[in-house]
Amino acid sequence: MSPLQFNHIVKVLDQMLRFESPSDVILSNWFREHRQLGSTDRHAIAEACFTCLRRLETLRALCAPKKPNSRNVLLAAMAKLWGTNLKECGDGLKEDEKIWLADVKGRAMPDGLAQRAELPQWVIDRMSDQDEDSILELGRGLMQSAPLDLRVNTLKGRRDEVLSRLIADGFDATVTPYSPLGIRLKGKPAINKHILFMQGVIEVQDEGSQLLGLITGARRSEMVVDFCAGAGGKTMLLGAQMHNSGRLYAFDVSEKRLSNLKPRLARSGLSNVHPTLIAHENDTRVKRLAGKAQRVLVDAPCSGMGTLRRNPDLKYRQSPDSVAELNVKQASILASASRMVAVGGRLVYATCSLLPQENMEIVNAFLAAHPDFSLVPASAVLAEMKIPLDTGDVLQLNPAIHQTDGFFAAVMTRNAATAAE
């Protein structure tokens, strides 16, 4: 680490540790403002900042008795995690810092569960469905850097052909173990410059996200709703499943997110997608589709705790209060979306969270209040699709086990005998 890199890391971390904005946004803005930084410096700054965020529970403990500010957090990481020569520090070390760091080097690593799993205590407290070993395994999985997964657009290519082309072009690529549409790349290559990406043959999409779309089970000529479409990764998968037929509604409350979907749709070749801006989950556009959709996917807004490999700051930008607020919104969105499901149709509730309060507790409460819906074992749905994965009655993806983001999904069906508006 050069003195230049050290000084930039301290300044970027200072902004990140306020937890007022997403860390990736802070980093992008910093690089935009400091265009003179080369690729080597940018890589070093990004890696150091995100490592500090991933290991923040440990680094905060190591900082004591000093304040865990950006400089001290970085110095503790250099001394204890990386074994860096502290002469590399930008402005030189003060005498009290030298004494403190000598002490840090001699200490044992903090051994509390929060530090070993690198999860705030409030998150651990909410994982009442897991024992300590499982939490520790999960936490260590979330500390790893996420791979780059691609989804092959089946309207434009076959996975085996795409894989061969990528390997021939020098990429270290393999098929994903579960999704029949996925390819995993080693490292973080700039795939958005590749001709296959620009032609819409491939899209960047985590394998777990691909599985959520697949278990929705969209078919030709159906009416399908992606209720919280966002930037549309799953929307495009559903459209390809439908072979570009039927009607696929992409609902979202964010005009910006739906605008970002349009160029992706143009690349994909899909013409059956209808991006639709709604004001809220009870919008009249939703009510007009009551009982008409064969498939409804609800990828609900959530804490994002399953994406900590990519967004390690989320565990500090969320809180028990924010999760409680999300629970109210999740229950309301699921109830509203369920009205669109036709008799015999499928409803999928999904999150990228690991917290039972956002997952099974929401589903159980919904099923108790809606006897016209019943749970379909996810294991049966996956087996029917010949996907070699069994996580029981619901899909629960664990980054430590499945090397995907931490997704949850429950598949439900609307029963003919009891369905009622």
Side-chain angles (χ1 to χ4, degrees):
M1 183 186 300
S2 69
L4 172 73
Q5 293 167 357
F6 178 90
N7 290 327
H8 277 278
I9 294 165
V10 169
K11 291 172 183 175
V12 174
L13 263 181
D14 183 62
Q15 293 185 34
M16 289 181 172
L17 293 179
R18 297 172 195 170
F19 302 114
E20 295 170 354
S21 301
S23 290
D24 57 345
V25 173
I26 291 171
L27 194 64
S28 295
N29 290 341
W30 187 266
F31 289 156
R32 195 176 301 115
E33 294 166 6
H34 298 81
R35 296 185 184 275
Q36 76 278 12
L37 291 169
S39 59
T40 301
D41 289 331
R42 288 170 181 249
H43 177 77
I45 292 164
E47 284 297 307
C49 287
F50 278 93
T51 299
C52 286
L53 289 173
R54 290 190 180 99
R55 303 297 305 273
L56 192 54
E57 290 295 316
T58 291
L59 293 173
R60 280 175 167 173
L62 288 171
C63 279
K66 286 186 171 289
K67 292 181 179 179
N69 58 29
S70 61
R71 180 179 173 89
N72 292 338
V73 163
L74 178 56
L75 287 173
M78 293 172 71
K80 195 68 177 176
L81 301 184
W82 306 330
T84 310
N85 184 341
L86 296 176
K87 292 179 181 178
E88 297 178 13
C89 299
D91 298 324
L93 291 177
K94 302 168 188 174
E95 281 304 313
D96 68 314
E97 288 177 330
K98 292 178 183 178
I99 296 169
W100 165 63
L101 286 171
D103 176 62
V104 168
K105 281 189 170 184
R107 287 188 217 164
M109 292 292 282
D111 62 354
L113 181 57
Q115 286 78 40
R116 288 183 292 138
E118 293 293 352
L119 293 170
Q121 189 60 47
W122 75 265
V123 174
I124 293 172
D125 290 344
R126 274 149 188 78
M127 292 184 176
S128 55
D129 58 334
Q130 299 189 49
D131 59 27
E132 185 171 312
D133 288 342
S134 298
I135 293 172
L136 184 57
E137 180 186 41
L138 173 60
R140 287 174 174 166
L142 290 168
M143 280 185 251
Q144 305 304 310
S145 181
L148 180 61
D149 289 351
L150 308 176
R151 176 183 57 81
V152 176
N153 177 3
T154 53
L155 296 179
K156 292 191 171 187
R158 292 164 49 93
R159 183 168 72 165
D160 55 350
E161 294 171 353
V162 172
L163 180 66
S164 296
R165 171 67 185 275
L166 291 172
I167 292 172
D169 288 347
F171 292 92
D172 189 342
T174 57
V175 297
T176 49
Y178 308 116
S179 170
L181 308 175
I183 292 174
R184 179 160 293 163
L185 301 185
K186 189 173 182 179
K188 299 291 173 65
I191 196 68
N192 61 329
K193 304 295 184 184
H194 195 279
I195 186 64
L196 292 179
F197 181 88
M198 293 188 285
Q199 290 179 341
V201 181
I202 54 175
E203 277 284 340
V204 175
Q205 187 176 21
D206 183 79
E207 183 183 22
S209 178
Q210 295 179 38
L211 292 175
L212 296 190
L214 287 168
I215 64 173
T216 302
R219 297 174 181 170
R220 292 176 187 266
S221 304
E222 290 185 333
M223 179 179 288
V224 179
V225 180
D226 187 355
F227 196 66
C228 304
K234 286 177 282 295
T235 304
M236 293 186 293
L237 187 156
L238 295 172
Q241 272 188 312
M242 298 166 71
H243 297 272
N244 213 8
S245 65
R247 292 180 72 82
L248 172 55
Y249 290 97
F251 284 162
D252 206 274
V253 296
S254 169
E255 187 171 6
K256 181 179 180 181
R257 286 195 291 264
L258 290 177
S259 295
N260 291 338
L261 169 58
K262 290 179 182 178
R264 301 179 78 187
L265 285 176
R267 285 198 309 271
S268 73
L270 289 168
S271 58
N272 66 335
V273 179
H274 301 271
T276 305
L277 181 68
I278 57 175
H280 45 71
E281 64 267 25
N282 294 308
D283 193 293
T284 54
R285 294 172 182 81
V286 177
K287 294 179 180 178
R288 287 180 193 144
L289 297 181
K292 295 180 179 179
Q294 281 76 42
R295 318 275 168 172
V296 177
L297 170 61
V298 181
D299 186 6
C302 68
S303 66
M305 287 298 149
T307 68
L308 294 182
R309 298 183 306 168
R310 306 172 195 276
N311 308 296
D313 55 311
L314 271 178
K315 56 191 172 186
Y316 300 106
R317 291 197 294 113
Q318 296 287 3
S319 68
D321 288 343
S322 68
V323 171
E325 290 176 11
L326 283 166
N327 293 157
V328 174
K329 186 179 295 186
Q330 289 156 352
S332 179
I333 288 173
L334 179 56
S336 181
S338 71
R339 299 182 193 131
M340 294 184 289
V341 182
V343 171
R346 178 175 292 182
L347 173 65
V348 177
Y349 172 78
T351 74
C352 53
S353 175
L354 300 160
L355 303 180
Q357 295 79 13
E358 299 185 83
N359 296 338
M360 208 61 224
E361 290 183 17
I362 297 294
V363 171
N364 285 337
F366 170 80
L367 291 173
H370 297 80
D372 49 328
F373 282 86
S374 59
L375 190 68
V376 178
S379 56
V381 176
L382 292 165
E384 183 181 339
M385 303 186 76
K386 296 182 171 57
I387 294 174
L389 177 64
D390 184 354
T391 62
D393 285 346
V394 295
L395 179 67
Q396 182 68 75
L397 297 173
N398 185 321
I401 299 170
H402 305 110
Q403 285 74 56
T404 66
D405 285 343
F407 283 102
F408 168 90
V411 181
M412 293 165 278
T413 190
R414 193 169 199 179
N415 306 309
T418 56
E421 286 298 315

